[in-house]
Amino acid sequence: MAQDKGDEAFLRSIVKANETPKTSGKKRNREEAQSPSPVQWDSDRIPINRERPKLPDIDAASNPFLATAPFIHSSQIPESRGLIAGSPEEPRCYEPLEFLGDAYLELMATEVLFYRYPNLPVGQRSAMREQMVRNDTLYRFSVWYGWNNTEGSSCIRVDQNTQNKSKPEVWMKIIADVFEAKVAAIVLSDKTNGYATAKRWLTELWEAFGLIHAEEIAVSMVTKEIKAAKALRSSNESKKEKPLRDGPRKAPSQAVLEQSGNLNYKDMLASLVADQEHHLAYNVIRHSYESSKSRPPDEVRINFSGFGRWEQVELGYAQNKDQQPKKKLEQSAAKDALIRNSDLINEIAAEKWKVGVKRRANGAKTSGNTDVA
C-alpha cells in the first residue's frame, strides 16, 4: 500500500510535463458540438475496488527468454551495448521487445477505437489513442501489476546505480517500456492467438481505467448518433424546395388585412415577391444629425429590384408618428405595401411564379427527368 501511494505521488509530480497538447478552442468546440466527447482521462486515478484483468500466461518452459526479458534492464547485461539485445527469438532484455510492443500498442488501440467509435471524428479518436498509449498510462498499468517494484519474481531488474541516478520522468519511461515489452512477449509467445489475446487484455485495461467506454455503452452511443443523423437528414429533406403552386400567389384584399388583426406583414410580403435571388430592401431613415441606431427611425421605405423588370421600385412606406420601434415600423411599411400596391405586388408574384416554373423545367432537363412539379 505504501509503495502504491509513493508511485501515485511520483506520477503526479511529472504528469503536467507529459500532458498532451490541447486542441484549439474553436476546433474543439466545433467537434464536441457534432459528436459525443471522448472519455475523459483522470491522470491521478488508479481503479479501486476492481479486479485487475487476468494477465495472459507465457509458457516459460517453451520460451524462458520471453517470460523474463520484459523485466530485465540493459544495465543488467555486462556486454557492450551493441550486443545486449540478443536475437528476436531469444531477447536478453526488454529493449527489443519494447520496440515491437510500442507498435503493437498503437495498432491495437487504433483498431479498438476504429470499431468501437465508428462515427467519432478522427481528431477525437486520435486524441483518445494518444491517452491510451502514452507513457504515464503504461506506467500506471505496470504499477497496477507491481512491475515497478525491484524485488520479487515479476519486477524490474535494473542496476541500483542506474535507478538512483534516473530522473522521475526517465524512471517512468523505463517502467512504461516494461509494459510495452510485456505486450510484445505475449504476442510472440503464441503465434496463432497471441495478438488477439494481448488485444483483449489491453481492451480490458483501457476500460478499467476509463480510457474507453465499455462496449455496450459505445454501441449505445453509436445508435444515438445514427438516430441523430437520420433525424438531421429528415429535417434537411423537409427544408428542400417545395413543389410549385398551380398558379402565383395573390396579395390579400384590404378588407382581409384590416380584419385579420396582428399579422406578420413582412413575411407575407416576402412570400409574394422575394425568392433566393431577389430580396426586399428595408431602408431605415433617421433625419436627426444626432441619430443613432438606439433611437426609433423616422421613416421606413421598402424597395424591390428583380426579375429583370423592376429596379428600386418603392412598394411600401411608413412614417413614425408615435415613436414606434424599428421592427414595428417595418411591419407598418409592409402592410402599406400590401394595401397600396397590391396590383404591382400581384404582377411581381406572377413573374416570380413563371421564373420558378422555368427553373424547375431546366433542372428536370439537366437531370434527365422531364416531369415538372
Side-chain angles (χ1 to χ4, degrees), residues 28-195:
R28 183 171 63 253
N29 292 339
R30 183 168 63 250
E31 289 180 339
E32 289 177 352
Q34 296 172 349
S35 303
S37 300
V39 177
Q40 297 299 312
W41 166 238
D42 184 350
S43 59
D44 288 330
R45 181 169 61 85
I46 277 186
I48 58 175
N49 300 326
R50 179 160 181 168
E51 185 177 354
R52 290 178 304 191
K54 184 180 182 302
L55 183 65
D57 295 325
I58 294 180
D59 188 358
S62 62
N63 195 328
F65 294 95
L66 291 178
T68 59
F71 304 106
I72 300 177
H73 188 263
S74 58
S75 62
Q76 294 290 295
I77 309 298
E79 292 91 341
S80 64
R81 191 168 182 79
L83 302 173
I84 59 174
S87 66
E89 295 77 17
E90 298 181 354
R92 302 182 62 188
C93 67
Y94 71 65
E95 285 188 1
L97 293 174
E98 175 267 328
F99 172 75
L100 183 60
D102 178 73
Y104 278 139
L105 271 161
E106 185 90 6
L107 179 58
M108 292 174 186
T110 302
E111 288 180 344
V112 170
L113 293 172
F114 180 81
Y115 290 106
R116 191 162 293 200
Y117 300 96
N119 296 321
L120 202 63
V122 173
Q124 289 192 5
R125 281 187 280 185
S126 296
M128 292 176 72
R129 181 179 61 193
E130 175 66 21
Q131 298 286 4
M132 293 163 70
V133 300
R134 54 190 282 176
N135 283 333
D136 62 326
T137 299
L138 305 184
Y139 169 86
R140 197 169 299 280
F141 290 168
S142 287
V143 168
W144 207 16
Y145 285 97
W147 297 339
N148 58 310
N149 298 322
T150 55
E151 296 180 2
S153 57
S154 295
C155 64
I156 179 66
R157 291 166 56 187
V158 60
D159 180 78
Q160 189 64 41
N161 188 46
T162 301
Q163 182 181 357
N164 293 338
K165 290 184 178 181
S166 296
K167 296 180 180 179
E169 59 269 22
V170 174
W171 180 248
M172 184 189 74
K173 177 67 168 63
I174 290 174
I175 303 304
D177 288 348
V178 167
F179 187 86
E180 291 175 332
K182 188 68 174 178
V183 170
I186 293 171
V187 175
L188 295 176
S189 66
D190 184 347
K191 294 183 179 180
T192 303
N193 301 312
Y195 184 88

Side-chain angles (χ1 to χ4, degrees), residues 303-364:
N303 294 332
F304 176 78
S305 299
F307 303 110
R309 293 179 55 186
W310 295 277
E311 186 68 29
Q312 292 297 317
V313 177
E314 184 176 293
L315 296 181
Y317 170 80
Q319 185 177 7
N320 201 347
K321 297 180 180 180
D322 51 1
Q323 296 297 301
Q324 297 180 26
K326 173 176 172 288
K327 289 184 178 180
K328 190 171 183 179
L329 196 63
E330 288 177 342
Q331 290 287 350
S332 298
K335 181 178 180 181
D336 173 71
L338 291 166
I339 294 175
R340 186 163 55 88
N341 285 313
S342 59
D343 290 341
L344 176 58
I345 288 172
N346 288 336
E347 186 179 353
I348 298 174
E351 185 66 23
K352 172 186 173 181
W353 182 78
K354 291 178 183 177
V355 170
V357 170
K358 291 180 181 179
R359 185 181 297 136
R360 292 292 183 89
N362 290 335

